[in-house]
Amino acid sequence: MSTDILTQITSSIIDGKMDAVVELTRQAIEASLEPKSIIDQGLMPGITIVGDKFAAGEYFLPNLVIAGTAMQKAMALLEPELRARQQRRETVGKVVIGTVKGDIHEIGKSLVATMLSANGFEVFDLGVDVPTETFVTNVRETGADLLGLSALLTTTMTVQQEVIRALEADGIRTQVLVIVGGAPISQSWAERIGADGYAGDAIGAVKVAQQLLGNKRGG
Ligand code: B1M
C-alpha cells in the first residue's frame, strides 16, 4: 500500500499530473508515511527521471516547469511535517542561504533551508537569483555564522566563487563559514573555490553545518 502511493507519486511527477502529485502526497502524509521517504522514494525518483528525459531531448521546458511546480506544491505540504518531527528549538547558529544570481532553481535550496531550520538553525532564506552583493550585505547585517550557496547549473556554479571573492573583498570572509551545494557541485569544486564545506543533500548540509560550527567554536 505505502509502496503503491510512492510509486504513484513518482509516475504522476513523470506524467506531469500536478493535482495527482499533491493529492497523493496528502494521502501519504495521512497514511503516516515518513516525510523523508515520501521525498526520497516518491518525489525525487520522479523529478530525476524528468531531468534525464529533458537532457535526452525527450521532454521540453514545459515538462520541467510542470514537474518542478508539482514538486514545490508537494514540498509545501511536507515542510511542516519535516519541521514537526525535529523540534529542537534552541538556536544553534545563524545561516544565510540562497540560490546564486542567474539561477532560479528553488526546490533543493528550500529543502536544505527547511532541514537546517528543523535542526535549530536560524535561517535567513534570500530566495533564488540572489545578487552577489545581497549575500554579502545579509551576512554582514545578520552576523551569520554560515552562508549556504546553492547552484544547479554549470553556468552558475562559478557565481559561488564570485560570492566568496566578494566576502573577501568586503573583509568578512573569516567571519562566516561557506557551504556550497547543488547538482553540479562536488567536494573538489568546493575546495577549488575556497569554500569551507560541501554537501550533496539536505541531511548532509545539516551535518556539515553542525561539524563546521563545532570546529569553529571548539577553536
Ligand atoms: Co532546470 N535544469 N533549468 N529547471 N532542472 C536542471 C538543473 C538540469 C540538470 C536538467 C537537465 O538538463 N538534465 C539542467 C542543468 C544542466 C547543467 O547546467 N548541467 C537544467 C536546465 C538546463 C535548466 C534551464 C537552463 C532550461 C532552459 O531554460 N532551457 C532553466 C534555467 C533557469 C535558470 O535557473 N536560470 C531551467 C529551469 C528549470 C525550472 C524553472 C523549469 C525548474 C525549477 C523550478 C523551481 O525550482 N521552482 C527546473 C527543474 C525542476 C529542474 C530539475 C528537473 C529538477 C531540479 C530539482 O528541483 N530537483 C533538474 C534536473 C535534476 O536535478 N535532476 C534541472 C529536486 C531537488 C530536491 O534537488 O535541486 O538537486 P536539487 O537539490 C538537492 C541537492 O543538489 C542538494 O540538496 C538538495 C536536496 O537533496 N543541494 C544542496 C542543493 N542546494 C544545496 C545547497 C547546499 C547543500 C546541498 O548547501 C548550501
Side-chain angles (χ1 to χ4, degrees), residues 70-95:
M71 177 138 181
Q72 262 187 314
K73 288 186 175 193
M75 288 303 297
L77 296 176
L78 288 162
E79 276 164 12
E81 303 293 323
L82 283 168
R83 285 205 176 88
R85 273 167 177 73
Q86 302 191 29
Q87 290 168 331
R88 241 181 280 153
R89 285 282 64 114
E90 85 276 21
T91 299
V92 295
K94 286 186 195 170
V95 189

mmCIF file with all atom_site columns, all heavy atoms in Angstrom, residues 70-95:
data_model
loop_
_atom_site.group_PDB
_atom_site.id
_atom_site.type_symbol
_atom_site.label_atom_id
_atom_site.label_alt_id
_atom_site.label_comp_id
_atom_site.label_asym_id
_atom_site.label_entity_id
_atom_site.label_seq_id
_atom_site.pdbx_PDB_ins_code
_atom_site.Cartn_x
_atom_site.Cartn_y
_atom_site.Cartn_z
_atom_site.occupancy
_atom_site.B_iso_or_equiv
_atom_site.pdbx_formal_charge
_atom_site.auth_seq_id
_atom_site.auth_comp_id
_atom_site.auth_asym_id
_atom_site.auth_atom_id
_atom_site.pdbx_PDB_model_num
ATOM 1   N N   . ALA A 1 70 ? 4.859  20.940 -9.462 1.00 0.00 ? 70 ALA A N   1
ATOM 2   C CA  . ALA A 1 70 ? 4.206  19.854 -8.715 1.00 0.00 ? 70 ALA A CA  1
ATOM 3   C C   . ALA A 1 70 ? 5.036  19.503 -7.483 1.00 0.00 ? 70 ALA A C   1
ATOM 4   O O   . ALA A 1 70 ? 4.504  19.343 -6.379 1.00 0.00 ? 70 ALA A O   1
ATOM 5   C CB  . ALA A 1 70 ? 4.052  18.630 -9.618 1.00 0.00 ? 70 ALA A CB  1
ATOM 6   N N   . MET A 1 71 ? 6.356  19.432 -7.682 1.00 0.00 ? 71 MET A N   1
ATOM 7   C CA  . MET A 1 71 ? 7.220  19.065 -6.551 1.00 0.00 ? 71 MET A CA  1
ATOM 8   C C   . MET A 1 71 ? 7.179  20.159 -5.483 1.00 0.00 ? 71 MET A C   1
ATOM 9   O O   . MET A 1 71 ? 7.145  19.875 -4.290 1.00 0.00 ? 71 MET A O   1
ATOM 10  C CB  . MET A 1 71 ? 8.649  18.832 -7.034 1.00 0.00 ? 71 MET A CB  1
ATOM 11  C CG  . MET A 1 71 ? 9.604  18.519 -5.910 1.00 0.00 ? 71 MET A CG  1
ATOM 12  S SD  . MET A 1 71 ? 10.738 17.204 -6.290 1.00 0.00 ? 71 MET A SD  1
ATOM 13  C CE  . MET A 1 71 ? 11.670 17.098 -4.759 1.00 0.00 ? 71 MET A CE  1
ATOM 14  N N   . GLN A 1 72 ? 7.160  21.422 -5.906 1.00 0.00 ? 72 GLN A N   1
ATOM 15  C CA  . GLN A 1 72 ? 7.106  22.534 -4.941 1.00 0.00 ? 72 GLN A CA  1
ATOM 16  C C   . GLN A 1 72 ? 5.822  22.481 -4.118 1.00 0.00 ? 72 GLN A C   1
ATOM 17  O O   . GLN A 1 72 ? 5.842  22.710 -2.921 1.00 0.00 ? 72 GLN A O   1
ATOM 18  C CB  . GLN A 1 72 ? 7.147  23.860 -5.692 1.00 0.00 ? 72 GLN A CB  1
ATOM 19  C CG  . GLN A 1 72 ? 8.523  24.461 -5.732 1.00 0.00 ? 72 GLN A CG  1
ATOM 20  C CD  . GLN A 1 72 ? 8.501  25.841 -6.337 1.00 0.00 ? 72 GLN A CD  1
ATOM 21  O OE1 . GLN A 1 72 ? 7.869  26.051 -7.375 1.00 0.00 ? 72 GLN A OE1 1
ATOM 22  N NE2 . GLN A 1 72 ? 9.168  26.771 -5.703 1.00 0.00 ? 72 GLN A NE2 1
ATOM 23  N N   . LYS A 1 73 ? 4.704  22.184 -4.795 1.00 0.00 ? 73 LYS A N   1
ATOM 24  C CA  . LYS A 1 73 ? 3.413  22.114 -4.080 1.00 0.00 ? 73 LYS A CA  1
ATOM 25  C C   . LYS A 1 73 ? 3.419  20.968 -3.068 1.00 0.00 ? 73 LYS A C   1
ATOM 26  O O   . LYS A 1 73 ? 2.913  21.090 -1.960 1.00 0.00 ? 73 LYS A O   1
ATOM 27  C CB  . LYS A 1 73 ? 2.261  21.934 -5.071 1.00 0.00 ? 73 LYS A CB  1
ATOM 28  C CG  . LYS A 1 73 ? 1.996  23.194 -5.864 1.00 0.00 ? 73 LYS A CG  1
ATOM 29  C CD  . LYS A 1 73 ? 0.766  23.043 -6.721 1.00 0.00 ? 73 LYS A CD  1
ATOM 30  C CE  . LYS A 1 73 ? 0.472  24.392 -7.399 1.00 0.00 ? 73 LYS A CE  1
ATOM 31  N NZ  . LYS A 1 73 ? -0.832 24.460 -8.002 1.00 0.00 ? 73 LYS A NZ  1
ATOM 32  N N   . ALA A 1 74 ? 3.998  19.850 -3.476 1.00 0.00 ? 74 ALA A N   1
ATOM 33  C CA  . ALA A 1 74 ? 4.079  18.703 -2.555 1.00 0.00 ? 74 ALA A CA  1
ATOM 34  C C   . ALA A 1 74 ? 4.996  19.043 -1.379 1.00 0.00 ? 74 ALA A C   1
ATOM 35  O O   . ALA A 1 74 ? 4.700  18.713 -0.224 1.00 0.00 ? 74 ALA A O   1
ATOM 36  C CB  . ALA A 1 74 ? 4.601  17.480 -3.307 1.00 0.00 ? 74 ALA A CB  1
ATOM 37  N N   . MET A 1 75 ? 6.105  19.739 -1.673 1.00 0.00 ? 75 MET A N   1
ATOM 38  C CA  . MET A 1 75 ? 7.048  20.121 -0.603 1.00 0.00 ? 75 MET A CA  1
ATOM 39  C C   . MET A 1 75 ? 6.396  21.064 0.396  1.00 0.00 ? 75 MET A C   1
ATOM 40  O O   . MET A 1 75 ? 6.690  21.027 1.588  1.00 0.00 ? 75 MET A O   1
ATOM 41  C CB  . MET A 1 75 ? 8.300  20.780 -1.196 1.00 0.00 ? 75 MET A CB  1
ATOM 42  C CG  . MET A 1 75 ? 9.233  19.832 -1.927 1.00 0.00 ? 75 MET A CG  1
ATOM 43  S SD  . MET A 1 75 ? 9.808  18.461 -0.929 1.00 0.00 ? 75 MET A SD  1
ATOM 44  C CE  . MET A 1 75 ? 10.714 19.336 0.307  1.00 0.00 ? 75 MET A CE  1
ATOM 45  N N   . ALA A 1 76 ? 5.477  21.933 -0.097 1.00 0.00 ? 76 ALA A N   1
ATOM 46  C CA  . ALA A 1 76 ? 4.780  22.855 0.816  1.00 0.00 ? 76 ALA A CA  1
ATOM 47  C C   . ALA A 1 76 ? 3.962  22.076 1.839  1.00 0.00 ? 76 ALA A C   1
ATOM 48  O O   . ALA A 1 76 ? 3.797  22.513 2.985  1.00 0.00 ? 76 ALA A O   1
ATOM 49  C CB  . ALA A 1 76 ? 3.902  23.804 0.018  1.00 0.00 ? 76 ALA A CB  1
ATOM 50  N N   . LEU A 1 77 ? 3.457  20.900 1.450  1.00 0.00 ? 77 LEU A N   1
ATOM 51  C CA  . LEU A 1 77 ? 2.709  20.054 2.391  1.00 0.00 ? 77 LEU A CA  1
ATOM 52  C C   . LEU A 1 77 ? 3.660  19.335 3.349  1.00 0.00 ? 77 LEU A C   1
ATOM 53  O O   . LEU A 1 77 ? 3.340  19.079 4.505  1.00 0.00 ? 77 LEU A O   1
ATOM 54  C CB  . LEU A 1 77 ? 1.892  18.986 1.639  1.00 0.00 ? 77 LEU A CB  1
ATOM 55  C CG  . LEU A 1 77 ? 0.777  19.445 0.712  1.00 0.00 ? 77 LEU A CG  1
ATOM 56  C CD1 . LEU A 1 77 ? 0.169  18.248 0.001  1.00 0.00 ? 77 LEU A CD1 1
ATOM 57  C CD2 . LEU A 1 77 ? -0.307 20.160 1.517  1.00 0.00 ? 77 LEU A CD2 1
ATOM 58  N N   . LEU A 1 78 ? 4.845  19.003 2.834  1.00 0.00 ? 78 LEU A N   1
ATOM 59  C CA  . LEU A 1 78 ? 5.776  18.181 3.622  1.00 0.00 ? 78 LEU A CA  1
ATOM 60  C C   . LEU A 1 78 ? 6.632  18.994 4.601  1.00 0.00 ? 78 LEU A C   1
ATOM 61  O O   . LEU A 1 78 ? 7.052  18.466 5.638  1.00 0.00 ? 78 LEU A O   1
ATOM 62  C CB  . LEU A 1 78 ? 6.693  17.398 2.680  1.00 0.00 ? 78 LEU A CB  1
ATOM 63  C CG  . LEU A 1 78 ? 5.978  16.256 1.943  1.00 0.00 ? 78 LEU A CG  1
ATOM 64  C CD1 . LEU A 1 78 ? 6.774  15.807 0.731  1.00 0.00 ? 78 LEU A CD1 1
ATOM 65  C CD2 . LEU A 1 78 ? 5.758  15.072 2.885  1.00 0.00 ? 78 LEU A CD2 1
ATOM 66  N N   . GLU A 1 79 ? 6.891  20.264 4.269  1.00 0.00 ? 79 GLU A N   1
ATOM 67  C CA  . GLU A 1 79 ? 7.789  21.058 5.119  1.00 0.00 ? 79 GLU A CA  1
ATOM 68  C C   . GLU A 1 79 ? 7.321  21.152 6.575  1.00 0.00 ? 79 GLU A C   1
ATOM 69  O O   . GLU A 1 79 ? 8.110  20.937 7.489  1.00 0.00 ? 79 GLU A O   1
ATOM 70  C CB  . GLU A 1 79 ? 8.034  22.437 4.498  1.00 0.00 ? 79 GLU A CB  1
ATOM 71  C CG  . GLU A 1 79 ? 9.160  22.356 3.470  1.00 0.00 ? 79 GLU A CG  1
ATOM 72  C CD  . GLU A 1 79 ? 9.237  23.538 2.532  1.00 0.00 ? 79 GLU A CD  1
ATOM 73  O OE1 . GLU A 1 79 ? 8.565  24.557 2.800  1.00 0.00 ? 79 GLU A OE1 1
ATOM 74  O OE2 . GLU A 1 79 ? 9.963  23.428 1.529  1.00 0.00 ? 79 GLU A OE2 1
ATOM 75  N N   . PRO A 1 80 ? 6.023  21.447 6.836  1.00 0.00 ? 80 PRO A N   1
ATOM 76  C CA  . PRO A 1 80 ? 5.593  21.483 8.243  1.00 0.00 ? 80 PRO A CA  1
ATOM 77  C C   . PRO A 1 80 ? 5.774  20.131 8.939  1.00 0.00 ? 80 PRO A C   1
ATOM 78  O O   . PRO A 1 80 ? 6.099  20.059 10.121 1.00 0.00 ? 80 PRO A O   1
ATOM 79  C CB  . PRO A 1 80 ? 4.107  21.835 8.159  1.00 0.00 ? 80 PRO A CB  1
ATOM 80  C CG  . PRO A 1 80 ? 3.874  22.340 6.795  1.00 0.00 ? 80 PRO A CG  1
ATOM 81  C CD  . PRO A 1 80 ? 4.942  21.788 5.920  1.00 0.00 ? 80 PRO A CD  1
ATOM 82  N N   . GLU A 1 81 ? 5.601  19.036 8.169  1.00 0.00 ? 81 GLU A N   1
ATOM 83  C CA  . GLU A 1 81 ? 5.778  17.687 8.737  1.00 0.00 ? 81 GLU A CA  1
ATOM 84  C C   . GLU A 1 81 ? 7.242  17.451 9.105  1.00 0.00 ? 81 GLU A C   1
ATOM 85  O O   . GLU A 1 81 ? 7.548  16.866 10.146 1.00 0.00 ? 81 GLU A O   1
ATOM 86  C CB  . GLU A 1 81 ? 5.330  16.613 7.732  1.00 0.00 ? 81 GLU A CB  1
ATOM 87  C CG  . GLU A 1 81 ? 3.908  16.722 7.255  1.00 0.00 ? 81 GLU A CG  1
ATOM 88  C CD  . GLU A 1 81 ? 2.907  16.458 8.370  1.00 0.00 ? 81 GLU A CD  1
ATOM 89  O OE1 . GLU A 1 81 ? 3.183  15.587 9.213  1.00 0.00 ? 81 GLU A OE1 1
ATOM 90  O OE2 . GLU A 1 81 ? 1.861  17.140 8.396  1.00 0.00 ? 81 GLU A OE2 1
ATOM 91  N N   . LEU A 1 82 ? 8.141  17.895 8.231  1.00 0.00 ? 82 LEU A N   1
ATOM 92  C CA  . LEU A 1 82 ? 9.581  17.729 8.499  1.00 0.00 ? 82 LEU A CA  1
ATOM 93  C C   . LEU A 1 82 ? 9.961  18.506 9.756  1.00 0.00 ? 82 LEU A C   1
ATOM 94  O O   . LEU A 1 82 ? 10.672 18.014 10.623 1.00 0.00 ? 82 LEU A O   1
ATOM 95  C CB  . LEU A 1 82 ? 10.408 18.258 7.321  1.00 0.00 ? 82 LEU A CB  1
ATOM 96  C CG  . LEU A 1 82 ? 10.501 17.383 6.078  1.00 0.00 ? 82 LEU A CG  1
ATOM 97  C CD1 . LEU A 1 82 ? 11.105 18.174 4.923  1.00 0.00 ? 82 LEU A CD1 1
ATOM 98  C CD2 . LEU A 1 82 ? 11.354 16.148 6.341  1.00 0.00 ? 82 LEU A CD2 1
ATOM 99  N N   . ARG A 1 83 ? 9.446  19.748 9.833  1.00 0.00 ? 83 ARG A N   1
ATOM 100 C CA  . ARG A 1 83 ? 9.772  20.590 10.998 1.00 0.00 ? 83 ARG A CA  1
ATOM 101 C C   . ARG A 1 83 ? 9.245  19.957 12.273 1.00 0.00 ? 83 ARG A C   1
ATOM 102 O O   . ARG A 1 83 ? 9.924  19.904 13.280 1.00 0.00 ? 83 ARG A O   1
ATOM 103 C CB  . ARG A 1 83 ? 9.143  21.975 10.846 1.00 0.00 ? 83 ARG A CB  1
ATOM 104 C CG  . ARG A 1 83 ? 9.858  22.822 9.856  1.00 0.00 ? 83 ARG A CG  1
ATOM 105 C CD  . ARG A 1 83 ? 9.656  24.302 10.145 1.00 0.00 ? 83 ARG A CD  1
ATOM 106 N NE  . ARG A 1 83 ? 10.447 25.075 9.211  1.00 0.00 ? 83 ARG A NE  1
ATOM 107 C CZ  . ARG A 1 83 ? 10.009 25.462 8.015  1.00 0.00 ? 83 ARG A CZ  1
ATOM 108 N NH1 . ARG A 1 83 ? 8.782  25.182 7.638  1.00 0.00 ? 83 ARG A NH1 1
ATOM 109 N NH2 . ARG A 1 83 ? 10.797 26.136 7.207  1.00 0.00 ? 83 ARG A NH2 1
ATOM 110 N N   . ALA A 1 84 ? 7.985  19.466 12.221 1.00 0.00 ? 84 ALA A N   1
ATOM 111 C CA  . ALA A 1 84 ? 7.327  18.924 13.425 1.00 0.00 ? 84 ALA A CA  1
ATOM 112 C C   . ALA A 1 84 ? 8.083  17.726 13.981 1.00 0.00 ? 84 ALA A C   1
ATOM 113 O O   . ALA A 1 84 ? 8.046  17.467 15.180 1.00 0.00 ? 84 ALA A O   1
ATOM 114 C CB  . ALA A 1 84 ? 5.898  18.526 13.085 1.00 0.00 ? 84 ALA A CB  1
ATOM 115 N N   . ARG A 1 85 ? 8.772  16.997 13.092 1.00 0.00 ? 85 ARG A N   1
ATOM 116 C CA  . ARG A 1 85 ? 9.470  15.794 13.549 1.00 0.00 ? 85 ARG A CA  1
ATOM 117 C C   . ARG A 1 85 ? 10.805 16.102 14.213 1.00 0.00 ? 85 ARG A C   1
ATOM 118 O O   . ARG A 1 85 ? 11.405 15.254 14.818 1.00 0.00 ? 85 ARG A O   1
ATOM 119 C CB  . ARG A 1 85 ? 9.678  14.836 12.378 1.00 0.00 ? 85 ARG A CB  1
ATOM 120 C CG  . ARG A 1 85 ? 8.485  13.941 12.208 1.00 0.00 ? 85 ARG A CG  1
ATOM 121 C CD  . ARG A 1 85 ? 8.546  13.233 10.884 1.00 0.00 ? 85 ARG A CD  1
ATOM 122 N NE  . ARG A 1 85 ? 7.429  12.326 10.749 1.00 0.00 ? 85 ARG A NE  1
ATOM 123 C CZ  . ARG A 1 85 ? 6.173  12.708 10.530 1.00 0.00 ? 85 ARG A CZ  1
ATOM 124 N NH1 . ARG A 1 85 ? 5.870  13.982 10.468 1.00 0.00 ? 85 ARG A NH1 1
ATOM 125 N NH2 . ARG A 1 85 ? 5.217  11.814 10.408 1.00 0.00 ? 85 ARG A NH2 1
ATOM 126 N N   . GLN A 1 86 ? 11.308 17.295 14.021 1.00 0.00 ? 86 GLN A N   1
ATOM 127 C CA  . GLN A 1 86 ? 12.629 17.611 14.593 1.00 0.00 ? 86 GLN A CA  1
ATOM 128 C C   . GLN A 1 86 ? 12.544 18.926 15.342 1.00 0.00 ? 86 GLN A C   1
ATOM 129 O O   . GLN A 1 86 ? 13.077 19.926 14.917 1.00 0.00 ? 86 GLN A O   1
ATOM 130 C CB  . GLN A 1 86 ? 13.668 17.707 13.487 1.00 0.00 ? 86 GLN A CB  1
ATOM 131 C CG  . GLN A 1 86 ? 13.731 16.416 12.708 1.00 0.00 ? 86 GLN A CG  1
ATOM 132 C CD  . GLN A 1 86 ? 14.909 16.352 11.775 1.00 0.00 ? 86 GLN A CD  1
ATOM 133 O OE1 . GLN A 1 86 ? 15.941 16.938 11.995 1.00 0.00 ? 86 GLN A OE1 1
ATOM 134 N NE2 . GLN A 1 86 ? 14.740 15.584 10.713 1.00 0.00 ? 86 GLN A NE2 1
ATOM 135 N N   . GLN A 1 87 ? 11.781 18.889 16.447 1.00 0.00 ? 87 GLN A N   1
ATOM 136 C CA  . GLN A 1 87 ? 11.530 20.142 17.156 1.00 0.00 ? 87 GLN A CA  1
ATOM 137 C C   . GLN A 1 87 ? 12.623 20.471 18.153 1.00 0.00 ? 87 GLN A C   1
ATOM 138 O O   . GLN A 1 87 ? 12.431 20.362 19.354 1.00 0.00 ? 87 GLN A O   1
ATOM 139 C CB  . GLN A 1 87 ? 10.190 20.057 17.886 1.00 0.00 ? 87 GLN A CB  1
ATOM 140 C CG  . GLN A 1 87 ? 9.024  20.066 16.943 1.00 0.00 ? 87 GLN A CG  1
ATOM 141 C CD  . GLN A 1 87 ? 7.753  19.695 17.632 1.00 0.00 ? 87 GLN A CD  1
ATOM 142 O OE1 . GLN A 1 87 ? 7.742  18.963 18.605 1.00 0.00 ? 87 GLN A OE1 1
ATOM 143 N NE2 . GLN A 1 87 ? 6.653  20.197 17.127 1.00 0.00 ? 87 GLN A NE2 1
ATOM 144 N N   . ARG A 1 88 ? 13.793 20.807 17.635 1.00 0.00 ? 88 ARG A N   1
ATOM 145 C CA  . ARG A 1 88 ? 14.839 21.259 18.553 1.00 0.00 ? 88 ARG A CA  1
ATOM 146 C C   . ARG A 1 88 ? 14.851 22.777 18.475 1.00 0.00 ? 88 ARG A C   1
ATOM 147 O O   . ARG A 1 88 ? 15.172 23.352 17.447 1.00 0.00 ? 88 ARG A O   1
ATOM 148 C CB  . ARG A 1 88 ? 16.187 20.674 18.165 1.00 0.00 ? 88 ARG A CB  1
ATOM 149 C CG  . ARG A 1 88 ? 16.719 19.832 19.296 1.00 0.00 ? 88 ARG A CG  1
ATOM 150 C CD  . ARG A 1 88 ? 18.048 19.265 18.943 1.00 0.00 ? 88 ARG A CD  1
ATOM 151 N NE  . ARG A 1 88 ? 17.949 18.097 18.097 1.00 0.00 ? 88 ARG A NE  1
ATOM 152 C CZ  . ARG A 1 88 ? 18.905 17.729 17.261 1.00 0.00 ? 88 ARG A CZ  1
ATOM 153 N NH1 . ARG A 1 88 ? 19.995 18.432 17.158 1.00 0.00 ? 88 ARG A NH1 1
ATOM 154 N NH2 . ARG A 1 88 ? 18.774 16.642 16.550 1.00 0.00 ? 88 ARG A NH2 1
ATOM 155 N N   . ARG A 1 89 ? 14.418 23.426 19.537 1.00 0.00 ? 89 ARG A N   1
ATOM 156 C CA  . ARG A 1 89 ? 14.080 24.825 19.409 1.00 0.00 ? 89 ARG A CA  1
ATOM 157 C C   . ARG A 1 89 ? 15.216 25.815 19.643 1.00 0.00 ? 89 ARG A C   1
ATOM 158 O O   . ARG A 1 89 ? 15.202 26.902 19.128 1.00 0.00 ? 89 ARG A O   1
ATOM 159 C CB  . ARG A 1 89 ? 12.889 25.195 20.324 1.00 0.00 ? 89 ARG A CB  1
ATOM 160 C CG  . ARG A 1 89 ? 11.548 24.715 19.813 1.00 0.00 ? 89 ARG A CG  1
ATOM 161 C CD  . ARG A 1 89 ? 10.989 25.591 18.699 1.00 0.00 ? 89 ARG A CD  1
ATOM 162 N NE  . ARG A 1 89 ? 11.805 25.581 17.477 1.00 0.00 ? 89 ARG A NE  1
ATOM 163 C CZ  . ARG A 1 89 ? 11.444 25.099 16.323 1.00 0.00 ? 89 ARG A CZ  1
ATOM 164 N NH1 . ARG A 1 89 ? 10.270 24.586 16.196 1.00 0.00 ? 89 ARG A NH1 1
ATOM 165 N NH2 . ARG A 1 89 ? 12.244 25.148 15.270 1.00 0.00 ? 89 ARG A NH2 1
ATOM 166 N N   . GLU A 1 90 ? 16.217 25.448 20.469 1.00 0.00 ? 90 GLU A N   1
ATOM 167 C CA  . GLU A 1 90 ? 17.241 26.461 20.730 1.00 0.00 ? 90 GLU A CA  1
ATOM 168 C C   . GLU A 1 90 ? 18.046 26.713 19.455 1.00 0.00 ? 90 GLU A C   1
ATOM 169 O O   . GLU A 1 90 ? 18.277 25.799 18.659 1.00 0.00 ? 90 GLU A O   1
ATOM 170 C CB  . GLU A 1 90 ? 18.143 26.047 21.918 1.00 0.00 ? 90 GLU A CB  1
ATOM 171 C CG  . GLU A 1 90 ? 19.300 25.158 21.606 1.00 0.00 ? 90 GLU A CG  1
ATOM 172 C CD  . GLU A 1 90 ? 18.969 23.673 21.544 1.00 0.00 ? 90 GLU A CD  1
ATOM 173 O OE1 . GLU A 1 90 ? 17.790 23.306 21.355 1.00 0.00 ? 90 GLU A OE1 1
ATOM 174 O OE2 . GLU A 1 90 ? 19.906 22.875 21.670 1.00 0.00 ? 90 GLU A OE2 1
ATOM 175 N N   . THR A 1 91 ? 18.424 27.979 19.233 1.00 0.00 ? 91 THR A N   1
ATOM 176 C CA  . THR A 1 91 ? 19.136 28.335 18.016 1.00 0.00 ? 91 THR A CA  1
ATOM 177 C C   . THR A 1 91 ? 20.591 27.909 18.137 1.00 0.00 ? 91 THR A C   1
ATOM 178 O O   . THR A 1 91 ? 21.269 28.279 19.088 1.00 0.00 ? 91 THR A O   1
ATOM 179 C CB  . THR A 1 91 ? 19.053 29.858 17.778 1.00 0.00 ? 91 THR A CB  1
ATOM 180 O OG1 . THR A 1 91 ? 17.679 30.179 17.632 1.00 0.00 ? 91 THR A OG1 1
ATOM 181 C CG2 . THR A 1 91 ? 19.799 30.267 16.531 1.00 0.00 ? 91 THR A CG2 1
ATOM 182 N N   . VAL A 1 92 ? 21.049 27.098 17.168 1.00 0.00 ? 92 VAL A N   1
ATOM 183 C CA  . VAL A 1 92 ? 22.436 26.636 17.249 1.00 0.00 ? 92 VAL A CA  1
ATOM 184 C C   . VAL A 1 92 ? 23.383 27.499 16.426 1.00 0.00 ? 92 VAL A C   1
ATOM 185 O O   . VAL A 1 92 ? 24.588 27.431 16.590 1.00 0.00 ? 92 VAL A O   1
ATOM 186 C CB  . VAL A 1 92 ? 22.573 25.146 16.851 1.00 0.00 ? 92 VAL A CB  1
ATOM 187 C CG1 . VAL A 1 92 ? 21.856 24.252 17.826 1.00 0.00 ? 92 VAL A CG1 1
ATOM 188 C CG2 . VAL A 1 92 ? 22.059 24.902 15.448 1.00 0.00 ? 92 VAL A CG2 1
ATOM 189 N N   . GLY A 1 93 ? 22.822 28.317 15.529 1.00 0.00 ? 93 GLY A N   1
ATOM 190 C CA  . GLY A 1 93 ? 23.657 29.189 14.716 1.00 0.00 ? 93 GLY A CA  1
ATOM 191 C C   . GLY A 1 93 ? 22.800 29.883 13.671 1.00 0.00 ? 93 GLY A C   1
ATOM 192 O O   . GLY A 1 93 ? 21.663 29.477 13.430 1.00 0.00 ? 93 GLY A O   1
ATOM 193 N N   . LYS A 1 94 ? 23.355 30.933 13.084 1.00 0.00 ? 94 LYS A N   1
ATOM 194 C CA  . LYS A 1 94 ? 22.607 31.681 12.059 1.00 0.00 ? 94 LYS A CA  1
ATOM 195 C C   . LYS A 1 94 ? 23.129 31.329 10.671 1.00 0.00 ? 94 LYS A C   1
ATOM 196 O O   . LYS A 1 94 ? 24.341 31.313 10.457 1.00 0.00 ? 94 LYS A O   1
ATOM 197 C CB  . LYS A 1 94 ? 22.816 33.183 12.268 1.00 0.00 ? 94 LYS A CB  1
ATOM 198 C CG  . LYS A 1 94 ? 22.069 33.761 13.444 1.00 0.00 ? 94 LYS A CG  1
ATOM 199 C CD  . LYS A 1 94 ? 22.258 35.271 13.442 1.00 0.00 ? 94 LYS A CD  1
ATOM 200 C CE  . LYS A 1 94 ? 21.846 35.852 14.776 1.00 0.00 ? 94 LYS A CE  1
ATOM 201 N NZ  . LYS A 1 94 ? 22.228 37.255 14.890 1.00 0.00 ? 94 LYS A NZ  1
ATOM 202 N N   . VAL A 1 95 ? 22.196 31.077 9.753  1.00 0.00 ? 95 VAL A N   1
ATOM 203 C CA  . VAL A 1 95 ? 22.578 30.731 8.380  1.00 0.00 ? 95 VAL A CA  1
ATOM 204 C C   . VAL A 1 95 ? 21.873 31.647 7.381  1.00 0.00 ? 95 VAL A C   1
ATOM 205 O O   . VAL A 1 95 ? 20.650 31.782 7.436  1.00 0.00 ? 95 VAL A O   1
ATOM 206 C CB  . VAL A 1 95 ? 22.152 29.289 8.003  1.00 0.00 ? 95 VAL A CB  1
ATOM 207 C CG1 . VAL A 1 95 ? 22.748 28.886 6.657  1.00 0.00 ? 95 VAL A CG1 1
ATOM 208 C CG2 . VAL A 1 95 ? 22.522 28.293 9.049  1.00 0.00 ? 95 VAL A CG2 1
#
